[in-house]
Amino acid sequence: MKITILAEKPDQARKYAAALGSVKKGNGFLEVDTNILNGEVVVTWGIGHLVELASMDKYGEQYKKWNMANLPFLPEKMVFEVKSSTRAQFSAAKKQLEEADLIILATDPDREGENIAYSIFSKCSAKVKNTPKKRLWINSMVDKEIQRGFKNLRDSKETFNYFVEAQTRQISDYLVGMNFTQFFTLLAQSKGLQGVYSLGRVQTPCNSLVVQNDLAIKNFKEETFYKLFGNVTKDNKAIKFTNDTKYSSKEELAAAIQKLGLNAPKQTNISSVKKETKAKKAPKLFNLGGIQSYANKKWKYSLDKSLKVIQSLYQEGFLSYPRTDCDLITTNEFEYLKANLEKYKTTIGVSFENTHLEPRKEYVNNDKVLEHFAIIPTEKIPTLSSLDEAQRNIYQAVVRNTVLMFAEDYIYESTAVTIDINGSIFTAKGIVPKNPGWTKVEALEEDKQEEIVTLPAFIEGESVLFNPKIEEGKTKPPSRLTEASLGGKGGLMDKLGLGTPATRSSIITTLIDREYIRVEKTKIYPTQKGLLLYDLTKNILLGSPEMTAKWEDYLKKIGTGTGTQKVFLNNISNFISGTLNELKKKDIDTNTVQQVKDSDKQEIGSYLVKEEAKVFKCIQKGNPSEQFIIFKNISEKKISISQVKQLLTKGKTGLVKGFVSSKTGKKFDAYLVLKEGKVSFEFAKK
């Protein structure tokens, strides 16, 4: 019996083959002599997607040129084709698959891996479709786990619906992208804009979130509010008792003071004293969004960079499968982690008492781990010096986060003392750490840290003098989105169900690459192009995060077998047709178009300045016909943008040293002067 194993990529194939037995190299495949599988075993591979959806021009001559008349584009049958760049490897894989008596799907254990495999099968002979199939489903690339997986193969039917879900997502994204990208690009070009305006089922609502956040910040109006508090002095220490009520005006505050009788210090009693010893457990284990958020905050890594680093550590066998939304493990993983605990601690240089050596439900739950467990270290431990800086940072973070579940809890005493003044409760809180536990290794997150306050010993019913005070505060604008708060764990995309943990980083990267958003020190800002896209889509469902989230919910149903591809794609087709008919009646705002045209120019004084290869092009604002150029190199001296600013605002630069005469070759110093669009020299008076 011939067994053909289909891996997703060459490196993965080599690791499978090496773990199974001795290897002999073939042309596009590996022969493996193994006692784990019974029969003649070969491993072949894809290079990611060997088969993809065909471009529009493959559906007919009329689609070779973009044209509004061709929209909506909704073919009855989708065309898939072998990628020209990987045709040779497809042929090699196809030959091995068609000769097989058993096929083992060993592409990545996720939806996209399923899609890659079945897309390859679809371009093979009918025999491949009917060949029995098994599924390799593993969580790490260490030899022991690979061998265990091949000894415990799943029936391919168990994961087939993941392929249907992934292919449905692929087709719907293609149809939405092709139709709306073509429509908006043609519309934008009709207004004199250049380039392609790419739209997508997930990227467009994600762009909406960034713009809405930016508009909320820009439109924010600061407001003043007032709060009442009171000081109570005991043991020569003034203790602040606070109240949460905010008063929007001094008049409202005055009325409250009058009602509460707080025009002067007031003798009153302590209403309650509550002391409680609390325990804070170590953080949850990392899922993909969790480690991406951590790395974005800690080292300013983009989500895309983090994913690539984690993927590389997985490929080397050091970390478990990365594209997971789960933050739990099973008892199997817990036992091997416990067995290697001291090795992990030594590797990352931490020391603590191992207190929790039995599984706790916050970290270990066999029933809730479905497809993949949390990201944790494997039994294969690297030498840290062999990793690059980013790999080292992320590996240590994952190991530290994992081993902390074995450490003592952080124990602290919480005290709450209250005073009731005519129904208004004023509270003083005290926090006193008793045992730092795991926080000796990893500090509490800043937003979860509480100020350490030791309170005097108050007694219920105790008479105290409450000295009323007023504090003034200002409302704060919304926080600007970061990659973590947009696409990380608990971020907006996560809360709204936009994309999947595996795709969110690529969606943000796509928006950056297509110049809809820009990132500065992890903070996200929309570009003029992004603002135009929002203006075009804000009133249609394509720009709605809520609609896309509903689509994602139904796609998940397809993955569980409770939804169908036909229903989803019919709804997508109806949405595309209806929306395009509506859009064809609308136009683009001319002011927004002009802002996009000017977005590559810098505003300096009364000019818009565009930096080109050899010149600064200066255009008079409000009068585009009035323009001139300033050369970027004058007499062998490079002219800076700051000197251009001096010329355009003051008409003259400071003294510039080091010009070279074209006639004599001698160096000289001079001022640059701008008069009537011409730059000339002015020499210092001797």
Side-chain angles (χ1 to χ4, degrees), residues 403-442:
V403 300
L404 287 181
M405 68 175 164
F406 296 97
E408 287 183 282
D409 293 345
Y410 165 50
I411 308 296
Y412 63 98
E413 184 181 77
S414 171
T415 304
V417 182
T418 63
I419 294 173
D420 185 339
I421 297 180
N422 295 332
S424 283
I425 305 298
F426 293 82
T427 306
K429 292 182 178 179
I431 297 289
V432 179
K434 294 297 184 182
N435 184 344
W438 60 268
T439 64
K440 287 190 295 185
V441 177
E442 178 81 356

Side-chain angles (χ1 to χ4, degrees), residues 146-158:
I146 291 170
Q147 292 161 2
R148 183 203 63 76
F150 277 107
K151 289 175 182 176
N152 297 277
L153 293 166
R154 299 172 67 173
D155 193 295
S156 62
K157 292 177 183 177
E158 293 178 33

Side-chain angles (χ1 to χ4, degrees), residues 225-398:
F225 63 85
Y226 305 91
K227 293 178 76 173
L228 273 172
F229 72 95
N231 284 340
V232 172
T233 300
K234 184 168 184 180
D235 298 342
N236 296 318
K237 185 177 181 181
I239 305 301
K240 185 178 181 179
F241 283 74
T242 61
N243 179 271
D244 291 334
T245 305
K246 293 179 180 178
Y247 303 98
S248 58
S249 67
K250 289 184 177 180
E251 290 75 20
E252 188 181 359
L253 173 68
I257 290 172
Q258 186 68 33
K259 179 181 176 182
L260 297 172
L262 291 176
N263 292 302
K266 186 180 184 73
Q267 198 72 34
T268 186
N269 298 322
I270 298 295
S271 305
S272 67
V273 178
K274 292 182 180 177
K275 279 192 175 185
E276 191 177 355
T277 299
K278 294 184 177 182
K280 189 183 287 290
K281 294 179 174 63
K284 299 280 281 183
L285 297 173
F286 282 138
N287 59 16
L288 177 57
I291 182 60
Q292 285 177 314
S293 293
Y294 183 92
N296 186 247
K297 293 173 185 174
K298 183 95 172 171
W299 303 294
K300 311 294 189 254
Y301 293 168
S302 69
L303 303 193
D304 189 54
K305 177 176 179 175
S306 295
L307 177 56
K308 287 175 179 174
V309 172
I310 301 162
Q311 182 73 25
S312 71
L313 291 165
Y314 163 68
Q315 289 297 125
E316 291 299 322
F318 301 137
L319 293 182
S320 63
Y321 182 75
R323 291 176 168 84
T324 176
D325 201 24
C326 183
D327 55 15
L328 297 163
I329 56 174
T330 72
T331 47
N332 288 335
E333 291 78 56
F334 183 83
E335 289 305 320
Y336 90 68
L337 290 171
K338 183 168 73 172
N340 291 279
L341 181 54
E342 293 308 318
K343 292 180 185 176
Y344 296 137
K345 288 162 65 176
T346 300
T347 299
I348 63 171
V350 301
S351 176
F352 56 81
E353 184 179 347
N354 301 328
T355 303
H356 297 287
L357 291 172
E358 295 303 318
R360 290 185 287 171
K361 67 180 187 331
E362 290 82 8
Y363 312 98
V364 185
N365 191 318
N366 292 358
D367 295 332
K368 290 187 177 181
V369 177
L370 302 176
E371 295 172 38
H372 299 287
F373 49 74
I375 299 175
I376 56 174
T378 67
E379 294 169 274
K380 183 180 178 182
I381 301 173
T383 303
L384 292 183
S385 60
S386 69
L387 305 178
D388 64 34
E389 183 183 17
Q391 288 177 317
R392 195 161 53 249
N393 283 339
I394 285 187
Y395 180 76
Q396 290 184 101
V398 171

Side-chain angles (χ1 to χ4, degrees), residues 58-69:
K58 299 296 193 300
Y59 291 84
E61 286 290 321
Q62 70 272 32
Y63 296 115
K64 287 190 173 180
K65 188 176 180 181
W66 284 11
N67 191 321
M68 284 284 193

